[in-house]
Amino acid sequence: MTAEPKRTDTKLVSGGRGKGYAGRVVNPPVWRASTILFDTVAELRAAHAPEDGRFYYGRYGTPTQWSLAEALTDLEPGAAGTRLFPSGVAAISVALMAVLRPGDELLMVDSAYAPTRTFCDGFLKRFGVTTRYYDPLIGAGIKDLLTEKTRAIFLESPGSLTFEVQDVPAICSVARARGIVTLLDNTWATPIFFPAMAAGIDISILACTKYVVGHSDVMLGSVTTTDQHWRALCDTSRTLGQHVSPDDAYLAARGLRTLGVRLGQHQASALRIAQWLKDQPQVAKVLHPALVDCPGHEHWVRDFKGASGLFSFVLRRGGEAERARFVDQLKHFGIGYSWGGFESLALPVDPHRFRSVTERTEEGPMVRLHIGLEDPDDLIADLAYGLSACEEAA
Ligand SMILES: *Cc1c(COP(=O)(O)O)cnc(C)c1O
């Protein structure tokens, strides 16, 4: 028997807190630095620039960033390392740039986060990379879309507006057999609910802005890779000058310690509210991966260890005005972008605006909820009042 931490909650508490990073204090402190001082010219000459975990120059980080990266790597069995980025979008862009070359073709899931599409259709296109979109529920059928030029497949599971759960292992095994790289935006589940590398993913991406930070006050992204892609990711992110402030890394590390208990509560409250909403006469459909009628629900059952606090639902009647009235009525739900913090949010969403190969079947207006850490009874009372107000208006 070894005393090395193995189980997730233990890893969340102990990750990145070795004496080399923390000394005698509990939390690895904030090391702010541009210049790193050397004792002698000989020592300066002997230092190597891009080497994680070694002082060289502020852009290459300090123990504050290294310890957070190490803690995130620990959560993903099979990973070689993690690099941090100033936002989730920066993490996605740099990960794609690390694997793609002019002339390559990228297969992108049609339910992807809208700014991911923008990066592909604009920037990547300008640099000679072609993006083709695919149905999130395609599974092993993705093999019919592969060409000689297909270099990478990007997944996001579930989609963050419509919540289709992808058959990640099936897509990964098709990709592996052809030497194609797989990248996953794992922001919704995090490695706590979906260990990506164990499912066959090569490159796992998190918008840490959401659940890792967990307090709606920091922008941050991370990319974790297998050994095979680690060098390319490091070279690309360093060449592009990617760097994260040590203060932000500190706050993300603080958020990470409670990620397990927060996700447990987000899961319990969101599931209860999703089930309650499903029974309301004003609601046509609830899109939550743990509910049986969610597209890809069987993959969620098979592959996931839990469900986080974000889901959508569709109102049976009304349009833009009724939806706005409903959202405006809510007292405990903020109106705004992002999610994953301790607080609840409600957002009108129109996913068909960001689709090219799959149609939306729901008729009514859609609302996305992030269920925070408030008492779920208060949230249900709030939603009930909002629904009755929107019914009166309709
Ligand atoms: C928010 C989000 C991102 C982008 O993260 P930022 O930190 O806001 O750049 C990427 N993917 C998903 C699924 C997200 O929800």
Side-chain angles (χ1 to χ4, degrees), residues 87-90 92 113 156 160 185 187 207 209-210 219-220 338-339:
S87 69
V89 165
I92 291 165
Y113 182 63
E156 184 181 321
S160 69
D185 182 334
T187 301
T209 307
K210 312 290 166 56
M219 303 294 301
L220 196 80
S338 200
W339 46 277

Side-chain angles (χ1 to χ4, degrees), residues 74-335:
D74 281 353
L75 295 177
E76 197 62 82
T82 299
R83 296 208 56 99
L84 304 175
F85 294 89
S87 69
V89 165
I92 291 165
S93 316
V94 177
L96 284 168
M97 281 190 272
V99 301
L100 294 164
R101 306 280 178 280
D104 285 346
E105 200 171 76
L106 166 68
L107 291 177
M108 171 59 63
V109 64
D110 205 26
S111 49
Y113 182 63
T116 304
R117 299 180 70 109
T118 305
F119 178 73
C120 295
D121 299 342
F123 189 94
L124 285 183
K125 187 175 174 205
R126 195 148 59 81
F127 283 79
V129 174
T130 308
T131 301
R132 287 161 64 210
Y133 291 91
Y134 68 89
D135 183 338
L137 299 172
I138 198 167
I142 198 145
K143 65 175 172 305
D144 299 332
L145 298 185
L146 304 180
T147 71
E148 288 297 294
K149 292 180 171 175
T150 311
R151 169 87 182 130
I153 303 174
F154 193 103
L155 306 87
E156 184 181 321
S157 180
S160 69
L161 298 180
T162 41
F163 299 92
E164 299 92 336
V165 185
Q166 296 194 254
D167 191 344
V168 177
I171 292 175
C172 288
S173 83
V174 169
R176 279 258 153 112
R178 296 275 295 256
I180 292 166
V181 188
T182 50
L183 306 95
L184 171 73
D185 182 334
N186 199 22
T187 301
W188 183 85
T190 82
I192 310 303
F193 286 159
F194 188 80
M197 280 171 199
I201 289 289
D202 297 311
I203 300 178
S204 175
I205 302 165
L206 296 177
C208 297
T209 307
K210 312 290 166 56
Y211 284 122
V212 171
V213 166
H215 294 72
S216 305
D217 50 6
V218 174
M219 303 294 301
L220 196 80
S222 69
V223 180
T224 302
T225 80
T226 57
D227 206 30
Q228 202 190 341
H229 302 284
W230 178 236
R231 204 67 269 152
L233 177 72
C234 291
D235 290 348
T236 306
S237 66
R238 283 173 185 140
T239 304
L240 293 170
Q242 297 295 311
H243 172 266
V244 158
S245 124
D247 298 275
D248 289 349
Y250 181 92
L251 287 169
R254 171 181 273 223
L256 192 69
R257 306 304 169 203
T258 58
L259 180 62
V261 284
R262 283 187 287 110
L263 278 178
Q265 189 58 51
H266 287 296
Q267 161 164 256
S269 297
L271 200 49
R272 207 179 128 211
I273 291 168
Q275 272 153 351
W276 176 84
L277 273 171
K278 202 164 161 311
D279 293 336
Q280 304 312 301
Q282 303 91 339
V283 173
K285 187 163 194 186
V286 178
L287 297 164
H288 183 300
L291 298 191
V292 283
D293 55 348
C294 187
H297 167 72
E298 66 278 15
H299 307 135
W300 179 81
V301 172
R302 187 191 62 195
D303 300 336
F304 284 64
K305 297 180 179 176
S308 63
L310 190 78
F311 66 93
S312 293
F313 71 96
V314 180
L315 288 164
R316 196 175 290 287
R317 292 196 293 148
E320 185 66 38
E322 289 73 21
R323 173 170 67 179
R325 190 180 155 88
F326 165 74
V327 172
D328 288 346
Q329 292 280 348
L330 301 173
K331 296 281 178 289
H332 298 306
F333 290 79
I335 305 170

